[in-house]
Amino acid sequence: MMEIAPERAEPVDFLTTARDLLPEGASYEACIACGLCASGCPASGLYGMDPRRFIRMAMLGLNEELAGTPWVWTCTQCKRCAYICPMGIDVSVLVGIARGGWPRDKKPKGIMRSCEAQMRDDSTSAMGLRSADFIEIIAETVDEIREGDKRFKNLTAPIDKAGAEFVVNQNSREPAVEPEELGPLWKIFDYVGVSWSYTSKGWAAENFCMFTGDETSWKEMVKTRVEAINALGAKTWINTECGHSFYTMWKGIERFGLEADFEAGNLISFYAKWIREGRLPVNSDWNRDNLKFTVQDPCQLVRKSIGDPVADDLRFVARKLVGEGNFVDMQPCRSANYCCGGGGGFLQAGMNEQRRAYGKRKFDQIIATKAQYVLTPCHNCHSQMSDIGGYYGGKYHVVHFWTLICLSLGILGPNERKYLGPELACL
Amino acid sequence: MKRRQRRIKTKLAVIGAGLSGFSAAIFALKRGIKTTLLGHTGALAYTTGYLDLLGARRGRLLDDPWAGLAALREDEPEHPLARLGNDEIKDAFACFTAALRDMGIGYSMPGALNRMVLLPAGIRKPTLCVPDTMLAGMEAADRRAKTLILDFAGLAGFSAAEFKANFLTTWPAITVQKIQFPGMEHGQVFPEVMARALEVPSLYAELARRISPRLDGARYVGLPAILGMHAPDEVHAAMERLLGLPVFEIPTIPPAVPGIRLRELFERALPETGLELEPQLKVQRADLRPDGITLYLHGPMEDLEVESEAVILASGRFLSGGLKAGHETLSEPLLGLPLYQPGARKDWYRREYLDRRGHRINRAGVKTDTDLRPLGGDGAPVNTRLFAAGSLLAHQDWVRQRCGTGLAIATALRAVKSAQAILS
Amino acid sequence: MSAKSSAKSRLYETEVLIIGGGVTGAGVMRDLALRGIHCLLIDRCDLNAGASGGNHGLLHSGGRYASSDTRTAAECRHESELIKKLAPECVDDCGGMFVAVEGDDPDFAARFPGFCQAAGIICEALSPQEARAREPALSEKIIAAYAIPDAAIDPFRLVSQNVEHARRLTGSVFLPHMELEAFQIADGRISSALCRDRRSGAAVRIRARQIVNAAGAWAMNIARLARCEDVNLLYSKGTLIVSNTRLGRGVINRLRPPGDGDILVPGGTVSLLGTSSVTVEDPDRIRPGVDEVDRILAEGAAMLPGLEDARFIRAFCGVRPLIRASGAATDGRKAGRGFSLFDHEDQGLENFATIAGGKLTTFRAMAEKTGDLVARRLGNTSMCKTATTPLPSGDAVRMTEPGRAARDWYRRAEPDDLILCECEMVPQSAVDEIVGHAPGAEDHMSLQAIALRSRIGKGACQGAFCAHRVTSYLYDCGIYDSDNGMRLMRDFVAERYRGVRPVLWGRQLPQMELAEIMHCAMAGLDIAPDEAEQ
Ligand SMILES: Cc1cc2nc3c(=O)[nH]c(=O)nc-3n(C[C@H](O)[C@H](O)[C@H](O)COP(=O)(O)OP(=O)(O)OC[C@H]3O[C@@H](n4cnc5c(N)ncnc54)[C@H](O)[C@@H]3O)c2cc1C
Ligand SMILES: Cc1cc2nc3c(=O)[nH]c(=O)nc-3n(C[C@H](O)[C@H](O)[C@H](O)COP(=O)(O)OP(=O)(O)OC[C@H]3O[C@@H](n4cnc5c(N)ncnc54)[C@H](O)[C@@H]3O)c2cc1C
Ligand code: SF4
Ligand code: SF4
């Protein structure tokens, strides 16, 4: 069960290496072995490991074992351990070091392939969608929407529009496999009347290179995108509903000291702002059956980046959309939320058994809410929660915010309803 | 990219997410004070869930905490609890337990006497207020009733056999069983994970099915504290219904459920009653001025400034980072408050670990006036807007005196009242 | 051997009774067993309760004594080479270094290779750059450095393996908690040793043909009980501190005449810094002190500046029994490290011998000399075999190796084998193995006894968590079945504390705070009824 990765690229001394990566004053030496991290980590028990054990083994100098344990691919680097540890100890830093040390050909193929695809050209798309194709798909989809819905006959999805207020990075999944899902967000932009643009280079919103532990490619990804955004002179950069891309971008800018002339915005807070300003007049009238909704806080967006303020926005938007009484929180939630188990490249790592074991905790949490729907602004969370729902026999649906926003505004096209259950799809 | 900046303006800022900080928030919100709480995980996460007022003095357990307080006022007049009146302390407990109940975890009300609750090693200790999920255990022990104690395969550090062996003479009618938790039949299991799983009805039903055939005439069932994380009373009631018997929880050693339960309860429920909560960050720096106090925090992406009219420092002791120990001296790292120092390092700890007088270092801490304003080197308050509460206060030994919660919440109440008096 | 019990007293018979379960006693036991002789080894506490469990674990190449005592240096060189060859599992052959820093006597440094040569010790000069490349933790103020073949040795494992081998060879037995109280002497012979089982309080009589006193620092007391006045010891207390992680790759000695805080020795996953040397009157009730620890640390930091911020998890001390030649100096550091064998024949006894002084490193040579005498007295003509027979290892005796339990556990990947000590990752199976088969297992095993034979309680938490978990496990296994388990836990944590107390600052303090809460507020150990000790 516990294979050790054979030839190591080079031996790492985890404690010494980590010392240089930790913030001032932080130290693994402060660990009091209390186990709060292990008890709160859904990856505990996989491959016999858990975060406390990882730290203890680093203290014991078991570098070879740490370098070889496949557990590092099951830790989603969600940083819940750091959240719960009184000493603020962050295991994900050690995990990142371990991942980086795996020989390339031994790293999980799925994550490697995604990163390699991103490195192939300046689209930065993990699904291998070249920029020219992206542009073409966008144009085609825009045409379809204009034709299909009179209200959006002037809708645009600009590319490389200098001076746009927002630059939007687009997760590859929609253009690559479900272009009809591009529509709802564009409609929202159109409805609110924002000035926005995609970039033709570095347009994608995913970054698996960080998950491979390969710092050079992580930096490369971020750099391509930052340059493209800088070139347009936009004030704000946002992502489509995606967690990890947000984190890898701002963190990468900080870590590698890149010049970025823009602010990192996030879509959820803009939804909230537009609702508060009356520009997005959503309501919950459509939820006549009082369907219950819960929300999944993406670790990358909430705990690892903005913290509770964005969790508040998430809930504000959700409550407005589904009705106050129809919103149920998972417990724990917000900054303390559990990772779904899809993050950190886990979904791509090909370790389905472990990933689902990790996700069991999320599944139980969802079931305990008795909600029929889970809302989440993250692709990884979305896929993972759908998968574990199917695997463990949950009857809930997982939906994007943009779907419900458009549903509520009455602008959701008939082909934009694939994630809704039958009772909503027919509305 | 510019770091994000966020500014919060508030009336009262509480530093510390322990019992003291959270109870201060509860008391302040009740008084309609706009409150912001800043804090990180600390000692609270480890607690047993029992709310002690004063359980021991000079190495002896106390039946009557109120009489104990009277004695404390005589011979430890500087003890923070000795400086408060019984009414104020009772008020703090009553208000705090009522708030806990409102938020969703039932507790017994403070009474005239201590109650002898159960500890995992099979001993009892005096406390004032007890979670509803643990009440039946005392009754079973008092009645020496036939009781089934369960433990779980894979749960290290809790042994029903140990519990039984230590109660051998006083409570012989204990039977023990080791069972497997549904879905966690192999490997290490953590109480936290079991507790969360038990929020799912099909799981507690399955657990009850595994327990039922083992009852063998028992009148009570006791098990480690795993009955749910955010709705323990519901899970507890469901188990009692399914087993047809009183069921009780026994706290376990960390990492355990009761502390996490409380922390998550506060984090979930208090923001709904208006608390502005920053649960992840530590205050890095503070600027104390005569007209207000500004606190500075650094999040992963943003810098946060909290502008407040009054501040309660409830940052705990060494475990929580409220106090720090150097080679020679102890310090309060955030504001550099002068501390009561128990001599040089060789005097901090006594020669014998279990010396009944307790270690001198435990009495180190922040010195205050009766309004709980920290005092400067000159004996005058450091700032009229700054207050301190909880375990970081000097002249107490909550560990040996079994007064953790009492100290935390009663001083929090006093600090809130003092702060209220100066708020505009 | 036979053991008879009567209502009040027990009787044991054996060929040779050895008093003192340290490395010397264990070495003698194996030496004799290899000659086919049955022995009974007793200790008033347990194995390694004296200096053998409270030392630096340095397998001396001899470099340390090269400048002052060429004979001891040469003896160390010879013995350390043998041990490396015959008991490799007990040795971490990490190499060592002598370094001088600014302010140290350059002249002494320059003469060092000459001292080594005289004792036959290989000594290689290193440039300060080379030295720092080998040991990155070294100060930048190094002025001279030499590599020498020092190594680290695990004294716990060494002793256990000796005792275990003796058991296998002749069925020799170790009895813990057996204190020698008096001798019955008649006709120039000790006819019986009168002992007490310190746990049950029972009187025990032991009849043996020969008796060896290997009681280390207590050897003089034992000799006096036999009315022998020829053993004169000087007690030199040494204190050491243990870091949370391993701070150096090999042994690092300060290149100067021996002083405080001048050697850093790796102990597997940790490092040991020491030692002080203080002459004491009484070898009992010694404890590491805060002042000593500060002194050691300040000295050590001159060589290794990182020590200032390192986390230390405990301190401990031991008493060196040094042979006092009549009228010699009373400074422990200057007294010789040689050993002496007393046959006590001039004291009128023909079946009693005392072996005292020496080093852990020279234990085999000490045992050989003692074995020769005892065998001759018994009319046994076998030759000593310890210089050629490898010391066998075994599962139950290897749990003291730092990192071993963790590595084993990780490799075996047995999820149901729960880890009880998380700091050092010691699982249930290791406890089972010790309870079942470790030396002393014939006797009742307690938390203390298991901890002594493993890494339990030796990591960062120093018993805060593992004391609870192991105790629960022992109850689950039925090894504990009354409230006695809690009393044993209390003794255990009280003992651990003595070592932790002097290093309580910085990052060890939160650990201690949590430990006290768990032991007192959660387990009531501070209030549990006060039974009489023992
Ligand atoms: C194992 C254990 C068992 C216990 N059992 C009991 C029991 O049975 N009964 C009982 O009554 N009590 C018990 N207690 C004690 C109780 O839990 C209280 O925690 C304790 O009395 C201290 O409360 P406090 O709020 O003053 O401090 P803490 O709980 O220590 O809280 C201090 C908080 O301040 C935060 N902090 C520190 N510095 C900063 C900063 N710069 N910025 C922001 N935040 C900061 C810390 O992160 C922490 O959250 C137990 C405690 C432990 C550890
Ligand atoms: C601080 C320090 C550091 C050292 N470092 C090193 C080093 O790095 N390398 C090295 O080679 N050497 C070192 N030494 C020396 C080495 O530790 C000792 O020489 C060696 O351990 C002595 O072993 P022993 O068996 O003779 O004595 P001990 O280990 O002291 O054993 C004597 C035993 O006799 C028992 N006993 C006493 N009285 C009675 C009684 N009445 N009845 C029954 N049993 C009794 C005691 O309980 C004890 O277990 C060091 C010593 C000290 C003190
Ligand atoms: S929570 Fe922190 S202190 Fe506790 S074991 Fe984990 S890393 Fe160590
Ligand atoms: S980062 Fe998340 S998955 Fe990884 S060890 Fe920490 S809590 Fe577990």
Side-chain angles (χ1 to χ4, degrees):
Chain A
M1 175 176 137
M2 255 179 248
E3 343 112 44
I4 310 274
E7 338 81 58
R8 302 269 316 141
E10 63 200 87
V12 217
D13 182 53
F14 279 84
L15 283 186
T16 324
T17 316
R19 215 165 281 150
D20 304 331
L21 292 174
L22 290 178
E24 179 86 19
S27 168
Y28 292 103
E29 287 251 22
C31 172
I32 53 173
C34 69
L36 274 177
C37 55
S39 136
C41 164
S44 288
L46 301 176
Y47 296 101
M49 291 294 292
D50 65 42
R52 168 172 54 187
R53 227 153 261 176
F54 207 87
I55 289 176
R56 297 322 309 172
M57 286 169 68
M59 306 308 280
L60 295 176
L62 300 191
N63 291 315
E64 222 175 284
E65 284 78 1
L66 291 186
T69 174
W71 183 76
V72 298
W73 303 102
T74 75
C75 157
T76 59
Q77 299 185 290
C78 73
K79 291 191 195 270
R80 194 175 192 281
C81 46
Y83 176 83
I84 211 71
C85 168
M87 306 294 152
I89 287 171
D90 181 354
V91 182
S92 72
V93 175
L94 292 176
V95 167
I97 297 170
R99 286 184 173 199
W102 274 54
R104 292 182 64 83
D105 58 327
K106 295 285 184 300
K107 291 184 187 181
K109 302 239 165 1
I111 311 180
M112 287 305 281
R113 267 200 303 270
S114 296
C115 175
E116 278 155 14
Q118 290 191 266
M119 295 293 286
R120 212 160 295 137
D121 70 2
D122 57 16
S123 71
T124 68
S125 163
M127 300 182 92
L129 189 63
R130 304 306 92 193
S131 290
D133 299 331
F134 173 66
I135 294 168
E136 203 181 308
I137 292 167
I138 298 299
E140 280 169 12
T141 315
V142 167
D143 287 345
E144 277 163 29
I145 294 172
R146 287 177 171 186
E147 279 159 29
D149 190 336
K150 288 278 155 323
R151 290 172 296 181
F152 294 99
K153 61 180 189 303
N154 295 323
L155 179 135
T156 55
I159 295 183
D160 294 336
K161 183 170 113 185
E165 193 185 344
F166 295 97
V167 165
V168 179
N169 281 168
Q170 171 67 52
N171 189 289
S172 296
R173 171 155 143 185
E174 284 85 16
V177 301
E178 43 181 24
E180 64 284 2
E181 280 291 312
L182 287 162
L185 182 60
W186 296 349
K187 290 178 180 173
I188 293 169
F189 287 151
D190 189 75
Y191 197 101
V192 177
V194 289
S195 146
W196 70 283
S197 177
Y198 287 132
T199 56
S200 56
K201 288 182 183 173
W203 54 264
E206 62 264 352
N207 191 341
F208 292 91
C209 295
M210 183 181 82
F211 298 142
T212 65
D214 173 354
E215 303 245 321
T216 321
S217 347
W218 172 14
K219 176 174 172 187
E220 202 51 44
M221 276 316 88
V222 175
K223 201 159 152 257
T224 307
R225 289 176 194 164
V226 166
E227 280 166 6
I229 302 166
N230 282 348
L232 293 191
K235 194 166 138 269
T236 307
W237 150 79
I238 55 177
N239 268 329
T240 47
E241 294 182 11
C242 170
H244 82 270
S245 180
F246 184 74
Y247 177 81
T248 58
M249 185 87 156
W250 74 257
K251 187 71 184 179
I253 290 170
E254 188 187 278
R255 168 87 150 261
F256 307 119
L258 303 175
E259 284 297 331
D261 311 331
F262 49 85
E263 282 171 14
N266 85 83
L267 194 51
I268 295 301
S269 298
F270 280 107
Y271 289 156
K273 178 165 178 276
W274 296 330
I275 294 173
R276 287 192 184 101
E277 292 170 353
R279 295 161 77 187
L280 207 54
V282 296
N283 59 60
S284 58
D285 299 346
W286 55 271
N287 192 4
R288 275 165 302 203
D289 300 335
N290 290 315
L291 296 168
K292 298 287 179 270
F293 287 74
T294 187
V295 5
Q296 158 71 0
D297 298 276
C299 316
Q300 305 274 11
L301 185 63
V302 180
R303 181 167 52 246
K304 290 177 72 172
S305 296
I306 304 174
D308 275 14
V310 69
D312 289 341
D313 285 342
L314 213 56
R315 281 159 182 73
F316 169 79
V317 176
R319 288 195 160 107
K320 284 281 177 222
L321 280 172
V322 306
E324 192 67 37
N326 296 323
F327 176 76
V328 202
D329 249 326
M330 290 183 208
Q331 298 301 337
C333 58
R334 307 152 79 92
S335 293
N337 190 32
Y338 278 117
C339 173
C340 59
F346 212 173
L347 268 169
Q348 291 73 20
M351 307 165 103
N352 290 346
E353 185 193 328
Q354 288 80 5
R355 175 173 56 77
R356 286 173 178 149
Y358 186 122
K360 181 63 166 50
R361 210 175 295 196
K362 180 56 58 188
F363 178 79
D364 286 348
Q365 255 187 316
I366 296 172
I367 297 306
T369 65
K370 304 192 175 73
Q372 290 102 330
Y373 279 84
V374 188
L375 270 163
T376 187
C378 171
H379 270 307
N380 275 328
C381 298
H382 193 290
S383 308
Q384 165 75 351
M385 291 188 301
S386 307
D387 177 83
I388 53 176
Y391 184 76
Y392 291 114
K395 302 221 162 18
Y396 58 83
H397 304 279
V398 186
V399 288
H400 299 292
F401 275 77
W402 59 53
T403 309
L404 282 198
I405 291 174
C406 288
L407 180 72
S408 159
L409 296 173
I411 55 174
L412 190 68
N415 61 343
E416 295 163 355
R417 302 175 176 234
K418 67 188 276 197
Y419 294 110
L420 294 173
E423 69 289 332
L424 289 181
C426 66
L427 273 186
Chain B
M1 184 158 49
K2 279 209 315 284
R3 256 177 97 74
R4 296 159 158 244
Q5 308 289 328
R6 185 154 58 99
R7 287 183 74 116
I8 297 178
K9 256 183 99 86
T10 191
K11 285 276 179 195
L12 175 66
V14 178
I15 304 175
L19 281 182
S20 193
F22 278 121
S23 62
I26 291 171
F27 301 140
L29 292 169
K30 271 232 143 53
R31 286 167 170 70
I33 301 170
K34 181 172 162 52
T35 307
T36 303
L37 190 143
L38 314 148
H40 186 76
T41 315
L44 171 61
Y46 303 115
T47 184
T48 59
Y50 297 135
L51 307 182
D52 303 349
L53 167 52
L54 186 63
R57 251 169 54 77
R58 301 175 161 187
R60 291 197 188 287
L61 299 180
L62 293 178
D63 279 341
D64 180 347
W66 309 102
L69 282 170
L72 200 66
R73 289 187 189 106
E74 284 296 312
D75 41 62
E76 293 180 36
E78 288 187 299
H79 195 293
L81 282 174
R83 297 164 92 185
L84 304 173
N86 282 2
D87 288 345
E88 195 170 4
I89 294 171
K90 206 169 285 177
D91 236 29
F93 271 92
C95 180
F96 186 62
T97 47
L100 288 173
R101 190 173 285 280
D102 287 348
M103 289 188 280
I105 298 190
Y107 264 85
S108 68
M109 292 293 282
L113 290 178
N114 275 328
R115 317 192 63 174
M116 290 299 283
V117 287
L118 306 176
L119 289 174
I123 56 167
R124 303 181 72 172
K125 82 154 188 175
T127 195
L128 195 66
C129 300
V130 186
D132 286 354
T133 56
M134 300 185 185
L135 277 171
M138 288 185 294
E139 195 179 274
D142 290 343
R143 295 186 180 164
R144 301 172 158 226
K146 177 148 195 238
T147 302
L148 170 64
I149 303 289
L150 294 165
D151 60 15
F152 291 89
L155 175 55
F158 183 87
S159 156
E162 175 177 8
F163 189 88
K164 176 185 165 77
N166 282 292
F167 272 122
L168 211 56
T169 49
T170 52
W171 184 8
I174 294 176
T175 56
V176 304
Q177 293 273 343
K178 192 178 281 296
I179 62 172
Q180 291 182 320
F181 191 87
M184 302 179 198
E185 283 82 0
H186 289 289
Q188 182 170 21
V189 299
F190 289 100
E192 175 178 355
V193 183
M194 297 195 267
R196 295 196 195 282
L198 284 183
E199 310 250 293
V200 179
S202 59
L203 253 149
Y204 61 65
E206 173 57 23
L207 180 62
R209 261 195 296 282
R210 292 192 185 184
I211 297 172
S212 287
R214 298 161 191 265
L215 289 174
D216 188 28
R219 311 292 302 276
Y220 289 84
V221 176
L223 75 187
I226 56 162
L227 296 177
M229 191 57 88
H230 97 281
D233 294 347
E234 280 172 36
V235 178
H236 177 242
M239 287 302 283
E240 292 200 330
R241 198 179 58 240
L242 290 167
L243 294 175
L245 286 176
V247 172
F248 60 89
E249 292 187 314
I250 304 160
T252 57
I253 62 166
V257 168
I260 301 172
R261 224 178 235 168
L262 285 172
R263 177 161 190 228
E264 286 186 4
L265 177 76
F266 296 136
E267 284 187 2
R268 179 189 58 177
L270 290 178
E272 284 167 17
T273 60
L275 178 69
E276 192 155 12
L277 175 69
E278 186 46 70
Q280 226 189 145
L281 305 181
K282 284 205 159 182
V283 179
Q284 301 289 334
R285 197 161 61 78
D287 180 15
L288 307 181
R289 296 179 316 274
D291 60 336
I293 297 178
T294 311
L295 307 175
Y296 300 88
L297 298 88
H298 305 298
M301 275 191 87
E302 65 173 15
D303 296 328
L304 176 62
E305 266 182 51
V306 181
E307 189 74 50
S308 64
E309 287 183 27
V311 167
I312 295 179
L313 182 69
S315 50
R317 301 185 71 77
F318 303 96
L319 192 51
S320 296
L323 300 179
K324 286 250 165 350
H327 271 279
E328 306 297 333
T329 51
L330 307 174
S331 62
E332 185 285 304
L334 180 58
L335 304 170
L337 297 175
L339 299 183
Y340 164 68
Q341 302 267 351
R345 196 171 98 237
K346 64 178 174 12
D347 305 318
W348 293 353
Y349 282 91
R350 300 206 187 256
R351 275 176 67 79
E352 297 304 326
Y353 186 28
L354 301 170
D355 188 316
R356 291 195 173 174
R357 292 168 298 176
H359 300 295
R360 292 191 190 89
I361 192 170
N362 290 352
R363 300 199 171 250
V366 173
K367 298 177 284 188
T368 65
D369 64 10
T370 47
D371 286 341
L372 295 181
R373 269 182 253 257
L375 301 176
D378 56 359
V382 169
N383 182 293
T384 48
R385 300 177 174 277
L386 178 68
F387 306 86
S391 60
L392 88 172
L393 295 174
H395 307 301
Q396 48 84 22
D397 184 347
W398 75 261
V399 180
R400 298 304 183 90
Q401 297 176 320
R402 315 292 199 263
C403 66
T405 302
L407 175 76
I409 69 175
T411 56
L413 179 57
R414 170 65 67 90
V416 167
K417 286 200 243 168
S418 305
Q420 188 177 26
I422 62 142
L423 291 176
S424 54
Chain C
M1 186 195 69
S2 67
K4 298 175 197 139
S5 318
S6 67
K8 273 225 182 76
S9 86
R10 282 185 287 159
L11 174 69
Y12 288 93
E13 284 177 16
T14 178
E15 280 184 276
V16 181
L17 167 67
I18 304 163
I19 302 157
V23 69
T24 311
V28 171
M29 185 187 194
R30 173 170 177 258
D31 184 289
L32 292 172
L34 278 166
R35 303 179 202 236
I37 297 168
H38 181 273
C39 310
L40 183 61
L41 176 71
I42 62 167
D43 197 288
R44 60 174 183 171
C45 302
D46 202 338
L47 294 175
N48 276 320
S52 303
N55 66 66
H56 216 151
L58 168 54
L59 187 63
H60 284 281
S61 63
R64 172 80 167 172
Y65 303 111
S67 67
S68 58
D69 182 346
T70 310
R71 223 190 98 215
T72 303
E75 197 168 60
C76 283
R77 194 213 72 224
H78 179 250
E79 288 298 317
S80 65
E81 282 168 5
L82 275 182
I83 292 176
K84 283 182 192 174
K85 204 167 69 204
L86 297 174
E89 307 85 7
C90 300
V91 178
D92 173 1
D93 199 359
C94 55
M97 215 187 267
F98 274 78
V99 295
V101 296
E102 281 172 19
D104 289 343
D105 178 6
D107 203 38
F108 183 83
R111 280 161 39 215
F112 185 71
F115 298 143
C116 288
Q117 204 181 13
I121 301 161
I122 303 164
C123 165
E124 176 200 351
L126 301 174
S127 70
Q129 289 74 12
E130 285 169 328
R132 282 221 308 285
R134 289 193 192 187
E135 289 290 357
L138 280 176
S139 157
E140 306 203 336
K141 298 189 178 146
I142 301 279
I143 55 167
Y146 299 97
I148 39 102
D150 277 348
I153 183 157
D154 176 353
F156 291 93
R157 185 159 180 185
L158 183 68
V159 167
S160 295
Q161 287 190 193
N162 273 278
V163 173
E164 171 63 10
H165 195 203
R167 185 191 65 78
R168 279 195 235 159
L169 289 165
T170 56
S172 294
V173 170
F174 165 62
L175 294 177
H177 307 287
M178 192 62 72
E179 178 159 24
L180 179 97
E181 291 187 330
F183 292 114
Q184 276 180 349
I185 301 175
D187 306 330
R189 291 184 69 83
I190 295 177
S191 56
S192 289
L194 304 179
C195 305
R196 190 161 304 277
D197 181 330
R198 289 175 73 193
R199 280 165 312 177
S200 65
V204 175
R205 172 189 299 270
I206 300 172
R207 276 211 282 269
R209 293 173 62 199
Q210 288 287 325
I211 292 167
V212 176
N213 168 15
W218 298 269
M220 185 161 78
N221 304 352
I222 303 280
R224 297 272 151 92
L225 291 175
R227 298 186 214 128
C228 296
E229 302 293 332
D230 49 347
V231 180
N232 266 303
L233 296 180
L234 184 69
Y235 306 127
S236 162
K237 171 191 169 196
T239 297
L240 294 145
I241 51 180
V242 188
S243 59
N244 189 33
T245 53
R246 182 166 175 157
L247 304 172
R249 291 177 183 161
V251 176
I252 305 174
N253 299 267
R254 185 82 166 267
L255 182 51
R256 63 171 185 192
D260 282 354
D262 56 5
I263 314 181
L264 184 78
V265 181
T269 55
V270 300
S271 288
L272 290 79
L273 180 70
T275 70
S276 57
S277 174
V278 184
T279 305
V280 292
E281 287 300 309
D282 179 359
D284 282 311
R285 281 178 289 281
I286 51 154
R287 290 165 172 233
V290 170
D291 296 344
E292 278 171 288
V293 165
D294 286 353
R295 212 161 55 231
I296 295 171
L297 195 56
E299 285 297 332
M303 221 170 30
L304 300 151
L307 294 178
E308 288 283 5
D309 311 317
R311 175 173 169 187
F312 289 91
I313 53 176
R314 72 183 282 106
F316 64 91
C317 58
V319 177
R320 302 181 186 89
L322 305 177
I323 308 289
R324 194 204 304 249
S326 43
T330 51
D331 177 352
R333 191 89 70 196
K334 293 205 188 95
R337 291 300 197 267
F339 63 85
S340 300
L341 174 66
F342 302 85
D343 62 18
H344 299 305
E345 283 167 19
D346 57 345
Q347 305 285 310
L349 285 177
E350 58 190 38
N351 69 341
F352 185 51
T354 296
I355 174 76
K359 304 288 303 168
L360 175 67
T361 307
T362 56
F363 88 102
R364 194 212 59 84
M366 295 162 72
E368 172 171 356
K369 235 178 137 183
T370 314
D372 286 347
L373 171 72
V374 172
R376 182 168 48 75
R377 284 175 168 179
L378 290 172
N380 179 311
T381 54
S382 319
M383 298 294 288
C384 170
K385 298 201 182 76
T386 57
T388 49
T389 314
L391 184 60
S393 185
D395 281 348
V397 294
R398 44 174 211 151
M399 301 302 177
T400 57
E401 182 186 325
R404 153 70 67 176
R407 243 177 224 117
D408 279 4
W409 184 87
Y410 182 84
R411 295 250 150 80
R412 268 185 301 126
E414 192 56 72
D416 286 334
D417 186 12
L418 292 191
I419 288 190
L420 298 176
C421 159
E422 288 280 355
C423 299
E424 299 278 330
M425 295 179 63
V426 186
Q428 288 177 353
S429 60
V431 171
D432 295 342
E433 184 68 44
I434 290 167
V435 168
H437 309 291
E442 306 85 340
D443 204 76
H444 183 77
M445 281 278 177
S446 64
L447 172 60
Q448 283 87 332
I450 295 163
L452 186 76
R453 288 160 177 78
S454 67
R455 296 288 300 168
I456 287 170
K458 299 192 172 77
C461 95
Q462 289 287 309
F465 292 94
C466 53
H468 285 275
R469 291 200 210 98
V470 174
T471 299
S472 296
Y473 183 63
L474 295 177
Y475 274 108
D476 269 358
C477 300
I479 291 169
Y480 288 164
D481 54 8
S482 70
D483 58 4
N484 204 27
M486 291 305 284
R487 197 178 61 79
L488 291 167
M489 177 161 132
R490 198 172 47 159
D491 293 348
F492 178 71
V493 299
E495 183 278 321
R496 287 277 96 189
Y497 167 80
R498 287 177 198 152
V500 183
R501 177 174 175 256
V503 297
L504 287 173
W505 73 80
R507 299 197 189 94
Q508 194 59 21
L509 211 107
Q511 186 86 65
M512 181 72 237
E513 189 172 58
L514 180 58
E516 192 188 350
I517 300 170
M518 288 178 58
H519 294 144
C520 298
M522 290 197 73
L525 296 182
D526 57 334
I527 291 186
D530 218 355
E531 294 102 341
E533 291 304 316
Q534 303 313 324

